[in-house]
Amino acid sequence: MAYRGSRYTGYRGRSRSVLKGVIVALAVVLALAVAALIMLENQQVFSGEGLHLGNVGQSETPTPSDTTPLVVVTVSPTPTPTPEPTAPVRIAGLPASALTDGTAAQQVQAAGASAAVFDLKGDDGVLQYVSSLTLAAQGGANGSGETRNADIQALNEGDLYTVARVSCFRDNKVPYYVPTLGIKTNSNYNWRDGGDYRWLSPTNADARQYVTDICVELARLGFDEILLDNSAYPTDGHLEYIRKGDAYDAAQFETVVTDFYAQVKSALAAYPDVRLSIVTDSATLLSGSNAVSSQSVAGMTASADRLWVELGESTLTDVQTALAGQGVELPADALVPIADAAGDASSSWATLP
């Protein structure tokens, strides 16, 4: 029995060694499999088709089956429009007869102009149309002719640009018939200027209203522009003969004149297409105001759309430079030189009737 036990002990030991080897091998295989799974984890991509491997660190974007080619459209920025150069203003003064005889357009063309200006209220106070105003009838200022107003309207309905000049306070008619409206001398006569013309008093509210109402009637007749001339206090003649007082108080002059311009502008508000213009002189524009007439740059530009200027010895450039120094920048067509004769086609000019 002892011999048999010794023989079989060696056999059992050999079987255990083989089993241990198998276990170790399986453990190694398992470890390698786990390591492989860990290494491949970041390369696993899930999609609608299941799990598959991708490149590490890259995001896979599905490619559409029907891809439309990308069209790149370059949009150019909208260019800033270049302002059209302002055409020169060329206005020819025509006689009153051209208001009704059908020759206005031909006369304007012959003068090389593009517009016409007529005296509708002259320095003598006479109106070139039939007014409905009481003072016009009282002062014997009315024009005549049953069809005169209709003829004027017909002219203004055409293509010709028309300007109505109004001699505001220089008026030889109405103060003669209605003396209370005139500027007075120390002897209580109607004062006359260096040209022997009477003047309505700018201080008188009825005189200002009369002129304002005339401007409205002219706008109603279809004129494109109302031009106020002699629209402040007189500067010519023996001013020392004028009676001082409430009717002629230099301290009030500028306020009276500026308010008159505003009054006319307001009255024309119902006719927004009608331009309001004022005649002035270069000395007033160069200095900013005139102590005698009491016109001022500020007062005129507050109401006027355009200034007509008697240049005298000055140039248009002188005036423009002076206005710029006062902070006033006028468009090129808002400053028109008054000339003795028609100018050329490249510059602005106006002649008075």
Side-chain angles (χ1 to χ4, degrees):
M1 293 295 295
Y3 174 80
R4 181 184 300 173
S6 175
R7 184 178 180 184
Y8 285 96
T9 299
Y11 176 78
R12 284 196 296 269
R14 184 178 179 183
S15 298
R16 289 193 186 99
S17 299
V18 173
L19 182 58
K20 288 179 181 180
V22 172
I23 292 172
V24 171
L26 290 174
V28 171
V29 171
L30 180 60
L32 291 173
V34 171
L37 288 173
I38 292 174
M39 293 176 64
L40 295 176
E41 182 178 6
N42 292 332
Q43 299 187 37
Q44 296 173 5
V45 178
F46 292 89
S47 69
E49 300 175 356
L51 175 66
H52 59 90
L53 297 180
N55 294 326
V56 177
Q58 296 183 357
S59 174
E60 183 177 305
T61 302
T63 302
S65 57
D66 183 15
T67 303
T68 302
L70 179 63
V71 178
V72 179
V73 178
T74 302
V75 179
S76 301
T78 303
T80 302
T82 302
E84 294 291 331
T86 303
V89 178
R90 304 186 305 277
I91 305 175
L94 299 187
S97 58
L99 284 166
T100 57
D101 65 9
T103 66
Q106 292 90 331
Q107 291 192 51
V108 166
Q109 184 176 13
S114 55
V117 55
F118 302 90
D119 257 346
L120 270 295
K121 179 181 184 293
D123 294 0
D124 58 4
V126 175
L127 305 179
Q128 295 300 328
Y129 73 101
V130 180
S131 172
S132 63
L133 300 176
T134 300
L135 273 179
Q138 286 179 336
N142 254 332
S144 60
E146 291 183 1
T147 65
R148 189 162 188 83
N149 286 8
D151 292 340
I152 292 173
Q153 282 183 304
L155 169 67
N156 289 334
E157 288 170 357
D159 295 331
L160 181 64
Y161 186 94
T162 57
V163 182
R165 176 183 176 267
V166 176
S167 179
C168 297
F169 301 116
R170 194 183 195 202
D171 185 320
N172 211 37
K173 275 276 185 187
V174 173
Y176 177 79
Y177 290 99
V178 190
T180 57
L181 299 184
I183 293 178
K184 298 299 181 182
T185 67
N186 290 317
S187 301
N188 203 33
Y189 293 108
N190 283 319
W191 177 84
R192 294 171 183 261
D193 63 18
D196 205 29
Y197 282 83
R198 301 176 185 89
W199 279 65
L200 292 166
S201 172
T203 308
N204 189 290
D206 290 338
R208 296 195 304 270
Q209 191 61 54
Y210 172 59
V211 176
T212 300
D213 290 342
I214 287 173
C215 293
V216 172
E217 287 187 329
L218 294 173
R220 192 178 299 131
L221 283 174
F223 285 95
D224 298 293
E225 186 170 336
I226 308 297
L227 176 65
L228 306 182
D229 199 357
N230 301 315
S231 61
Y233 288 86
T235 60
D236 175 57
H238 289 285
L239 303 180
E240 70 274 14
Y241 293 170
I242 297 175
R243 185 174 65 196
K244 309 301 188 291
D246 291 343
Y248 194 80
D249 180 4
Q252 302 176 29
F253 281 1
E254 187 169 336
T255 299
V256 169
V257 171
T258 298
D259 287 351
F260 169 65
Y261 297 149
Q263 177 179 335
V264 176
K265 182 69 171 179
S266 177
L268 293 176
Y271 305 90
D273 294 332
V274 176
R275 180 182 272 128
L276 178 63
S277 300
I278 300 173
V279 173
T280 187
D281 59 89
S282 60
T284 299
L285 299 184
L286 291 173
S287 63
S289 64
N290 186 318
V292 181
S293 72
S294 286
Q295 280 190 330
S296 68
V297 170
M300 289 186 289
T301 56
S303 297
D305 301 300
R306 177 182 282 169
L307 299 180
W308 292 39
V309 56
E310 297 169 341
L311 289 174
E313 299 299 320
S314 302
T315 67
L316 189 60
T317 300
D318 293 336
V319 171
Q320 291 169 327
T321 301
L323 289 175
Q326 300 168 46
V328 178
E329 296 286 348
L330 296 179
D333 63 348
L335 192 62
V336 183
I338 297 174
D340 294 330
D344 58 42
S346 62
S347 60
S348 292
W349 50 266
T351 60
L352 294 178

